[in-house]
Amino acid sequence: MRWWRPVPRVAVVTLAVALGGCVSAPVGEASPTGSGRATDEPVPAASLSSGIDEVTAPRVLGEVEVRSASPADAEVVAVDEPTRLEVDALSIDMPIESVGVDERGGMVIPEGALTAGWYRFGPAPGDPAGRAVLAAHVDNAQGTGPFARLRDIERGAAVVVTTASGERVRYEVVEIEQTDKDEVDVEAVFDADAAPALVMVTCGGDWQAEVGHYADNVIVTAAPVDVP
Amino acid sequence: MRTSLTAGAAAGTLLAAGLAAPALAVEDDVAEVSVLHGIPDTPVDVYVDGANTIDDFQPGDLAGPLELAPGTYEVALTATDAADDSDPVLGPVELTVEGGMSYTAVAHLDADGNATVTPFGNDLSETAAGEGRLTIRHTAAAPAVDVWADGNVLFENLANPDEATGDVPAATYEAAVSLTGETDPVLGPTDVEIQAGVNTIVYAWGSAEDGNLDLAVQTVDVHAAAPSEVQAGTYGYADQGGIPAIAVIGGALALAGAAGLGLRYARR
């Protein structure tokens, strides 16, 4: 989430031309070019704090965003967490809890199979960009859970996520994938910079009893539906 | 290049590993440069290559980031009523920046209270999944300090103009600064939120002698790795492979169990 405005590209081009042929030096180098280095003497504060502000030169770099850096003025990132998932076509209506990563670096999946986990370090449903990821166990000790039905979903199926604030974010299924876990590109599944989407993930394929895992991930992608 | 999963390839192939490159925090052909004003009581104009770029820049404020072409720039600070940068109060200094990098140039007091400019390179490397980065920079006219997080010393004996950095689980930490070896905070405690995939940079600035020590905070987006895996099944009830006899019985039980669970769930 960026708090700045990009500098217009044209300004950068202007500078690049003006500075053509510059040599590069080690990162973080600063060297005095004036006759006297100002660090040798304290800034005469009294003489600087008065006077009338004037625009004295063209701003070749365009507008520069300036803000207070005080911790008291820090932007508080309020996240409207998802709390409920509904997929009518599959009779799915389940609660969502926020989850992080386990000690192996994998996404935490809620206990049992009746609750979906939302990856809280990624985008949230309703965010302007990025893929919000929900995952649930395909089964529990009693049998298969709601997400076991995900592999039967069809394109166009309606998906609704309700958030803590009560907002209902609507999606439509656009893609159903079943991929060997070894080949799943998790960076793409969790891509925080991609177009906004809801991604529902569970397991599928052959049960590999010797390792206690399924061979595949079932990955259903849904795109936001604009409600007029 | 970002690869969309929905770009229409055959099922099972478009998720193949390695298709999506991580998004760059800063594009290769530009350097992002922020400027922090950490000299108390001294508003300035900031000139870059002779142009008034940040007008009437106030202490405690952060400007930018400017997107600059890689190269060397001359930076000078003047009084706010100066007509040009011929009579700077600080500088000029040359700043050399490389493409794809992030920098913060800090105008601040050195340990003895003299004004100076220190350019810091901001670490843009990717964090692990669920982790953020905390960077602390000592830019105050004050002795060396210890930095505390949630009651423990996180960084020891940090002196002006040094920095310390480390990756920590994303969370809100109670941060405080004490003189080295002491426990009473000279700054804080204050809550600092560390977000996953973000480098949160905290500056101590001002002057201990003048009693105006303060904190400044800057955040720089880096990128957090995705979780390594999604292991979302633990019992084998949803097996799609060949079905041994024992599993058929299990499957029947599973159906019964699922039905019962469905009912229980629906009643919630």
Side-chain angles (χ1 to χ4, degrees):
Chain A
M1 216 170 307
R2 295 186 167 200
W3 48 264
W4 65 82
R5 277 192 303 276
V7 171
R9 183 68 52 168
V10 61
V12 175
V13 170
T14 306
L15 264 177
V17 170
L19 293 163
C22 284
V23 295
S24 78
V27 173
E29 285 286 314
S31 54
T33 55
S35 51
R37 192 171 187 180
T39 51
D40 294 334
E41 50 197 286
V43 175
S47 68
L48 299 183
S49 55
S50 61
I52 301 162
D53 298 331
E54 286 177 317
V55 178
T56 53
R59 294 188 168 208
V60 296
L61 298 176
E63 274 187 57
V64 179
E65 180 144 337
V66 178
R67 68 170 182 95
S68 164
S70 168
D73 298 327
E75 212 176 274
V76 177
V77 183
V79 177
D80 190 12
E81 299 187 353
T83 56
R84 180 184 180 189
L85 172 68
E86 295 165 84
V87 187
D88 285 349
L90 300 179
S91 301
I92 290 176
D93 183 350
M94 63 201 299
I96 301 171
E97 65 179 45
S98 301
V99 299
V101 290
D102 59 27
E103 63 283 351
R104 294 173 44 160
M107 179 175 169
V108 171
I109 314 295
E111 286 291 311
L114 303 181
T115 300
W118 165 62
Y119 186 63
R120 65 187 173 92
F121 298 127
D127 277 359
R131 298 162 65 83
V133 179
L134 304 179
H137 283 307
V138 69
D139 57 15
N140 60 17
Q142 284 75 42
T144 57
F147 265 38
R149 302 195 283 277
L150 271 187
R151 63 191 181 212
D152 300 324
I153 204 167
E154 292 179 357
R155 285 170 195 248
V159 179
V160 180
V161 173
T162 306
T163 67
S165 74
E167 188 191 349
R168 288 169 66 78
V169 187
R170 294 169 194 281
Y171 297 90
E172 181 180 286
V173 172
V174 293
E175 191 172 302
I176 305 105
E177 294 294 329
Q178 182 164 332
T179 305
D180 188 313
K181 279 181 190 163
D182 293 339
E183 293 174 4
V184 169
D185 183 353
V186 289
E187 289 291 345
V189 170
F190 289 86
D191 191 343
D193 300 311
L198 181 75
V199 184
M200 294 174 284
V201 184
T202 191
C203 283
D206 291 348
W207 172 248
Q208 300 168 302
E210 66 280 8
V211 291
H213 293 308
Y214 290 90
D216 299 345
N217 272 141
V218 174
I219 301 169
V220 174
T221 304
V225 177
D226 290 328
V227 181
Chain B
M1 277 285 284
R2 293 167 199 146
T3 305
S4 167
L5 288 184
T6 58
T13 61
L14 70 170
L15 287 175
L19 280 183
L24 292 171
V26 176
E27 299 297 327
D28 273 342
D29 57 348
V30 295
E32 286 192 349
V33 181
S34 298
V35 185
L36 178 69
H37 190 338
I39 302 171
D41 305 324
T42 313
V44 296
D45 289 346
V46 179
Y47 283 78
V48 178
D49 285 348
N52 185 358
T53 301
I54 310 170
D55 192 48
D56 197 18
F57 195 30
Q58 298 293 320
D61 280 0
L62 179 72
L66 307 162
E67 289 192 345
L68 301 180
T72 300
Y73 297 84
E74 194 175 90
V75 178
L77 275 54
T78 70
T80 52
D81 57 354
D84 55 38
D85 65 348
S86 58
D87 185 23
V89 295
L90 185 55
V93 295
E94 274 188 359
L95 296 179
T96 297
V97 297
E98 293 179 16
M101 306 284 282
S102 166
Y103 303 85
T104 305
V106 185
H108 67 103
L109 301 176
D110 67 14
D112 299 323
N114 300 316
T116 187
V117 174
T118 302
F120 291 96
N122 303 321
D123 184 353
L124 295 176
S125 61
E126 182 180 87
T127 67
E131 290 193 351
R133 182 164 299 136
L134 175 61
T135 302
I136 308 280
R137 291 173 178 163
H138 189 329
T139 56
V145 297
D146 291 340
V147 178
W148 299 68
D150 287 351
N152 299 306
V153 173
L154 185 65
F155 302 122
E156 247 180 311
N157 199 27
L158 190 66
N160 184 324
D162 294 339
E163 64 176 324
T165 188
D167 289 3
V168 293
T172 297
Y173 295 87
E174 189 185 69
V177 175
S178 73
L179 297 181
T180 296
E182 298 187 4
T183 53
D184 288 342
V186 292
L187 281 169
T190 187
D191 283 348
V192 176
E193 185 190 6
I194 305 296
Q195 289 179 263
V198 173
N199 185 355
T200 297
I201 306 168
V202 181
Y203 301 84
W205 65 282
S207 163
E209 193 177 310
D210 295 342
N212 55 13
L213 286 179
D214 206 347
L215 293 173
V217 178
Q218 174 187 17
T219 56
V220 178
D221 284 354
V222 290
H223 183 259
S228 55
E229 60 181 7
V230 182
Q231 293 289 3
T234 44
Y235 293 93
Y237 286 121
D239 187 22
Q240 290 177 288
I243 307 173
I246 187 85
V248 174
I249 300 165
L253 290 171
L255 284 174
L261 285 168
L263 281 175
R264 276 207 295 281
Y265 179 66
R267 280 200 298 268
R268 278 192 189 177

